[in-house]
Amino acid sequence: MKGFTVEERRAIYLSRNPPQSDFSFVEYCFEDDSKELKKVAIAIRESIAQLGGVDRQFIRAESSFEELVILPFWKNIGDIGFYTEDFIEAVERKLGVEFTQEQLRKASVRDPDLNTDMAIAEFVRDFYDWYRLSKFV
């Protein structure tokens, strides 16, 4: 997307991704919509959106991380220069927790940087399973 300004790239992304309600987003991620599942799904969605500079309604559960490359921060996903740590820190802030280095080393969550074709919903489910097992729930 060379030659496009950040605003032009954002406008292209928004035109390709119609809004999705929080209810639909969570429903796509999980069969259940318990308070804790919803909290985690929305925190991840908000983190992705904040880093990308868009409102969370434009982050769709069925989209892959590769589809985010048009947005700021996400432009380097899958390449050198992407910082997964910044994404994890954003999620920590949204959830109001802090993961230890040991917890992160043992995380069974696929890294979006190495799995760019992974759907956001898949990441949300993987993350929630690890988060629950790590005793944050």
Side-chain angles (χ1 to χ4, degrees):
M1 300 269 3
K2 292 186 185 247
F4 289 92
T5 67
V6 170
E7 285 307 315
E8 289 170 331
R9 292 166 60 115
R10 188 176 292 120
I12 292 167
Y13 177 84
L14 296 176
S15 72
R16 293 178 181 169
N17 292 279
Q20 183 177 45
S21 70
D22 283 342
F23 177 81
S24 293
F25 183 89
V26 174
E27 185 177 56
Y28 195 94
C29 293
F30 302 108
E31 291 179 12
D32 183 12
D33 68 345
S34 74
K35 184 178 178 180
E36 199 58 42
L37 292 171
K38 183 177 180 178
K39 174 185 169 185
V40 170
I42 299 303
I44 292 170
R45 186 183 198 194
E46 286 179 343
S47 299
I48 293 168
Q50 179 183 10
L51 292 168
V54 296
D55 188 277
R56 76 178 187 221
Q57 68 182 335
F58 295 101
I59 303 302
R60 301 186 58 82
E62 68 275 14
S63 296
S64 71
F65 280 89
E66 181 67 31
E67 293 174 64
L68 300 173
V69 299
I70 198 168
L71 296 173
F73 179 79
W74 297 102
K75 67 182 180 195
N76 291 325
I77 195 162
D79 294 328
I80 295 174
F82 181 78
Y83 298 104
T84 302
E85 299 82 13
D86 293 346
F87 175 41
I88 295 303
E89 287 173 9
V91 172
E92 286 176 323
R93 283 191 301 277
K94 294 291 181 187
L95 288 173
V97 298
E98 189 172 330
F99 307 126
T100 66
Q101 288 302 314
E102 182 179 344
Q103 287 169 319
L104 292 173
R105 270 194 307 279
K106 294 180 179 180
S108 56
V109 181
R110 290 175 288 165
D111 184 343
D113 188 35
L114 303 175
N115 299 278
T116 59
D117 61 339
M118 175 175 43
I120 292 169
E122 291 177 85
F123 178 81
V124 168
R125 287 189 291 271
D126 283 359
F127 183 91
Y128 180 77
D129 289 343
W130 169 75
Y131 183 76
R132 183 178 45 84
L133 291 173
S134 296
K135 308 287 189 241
F136 287 102
V137 175

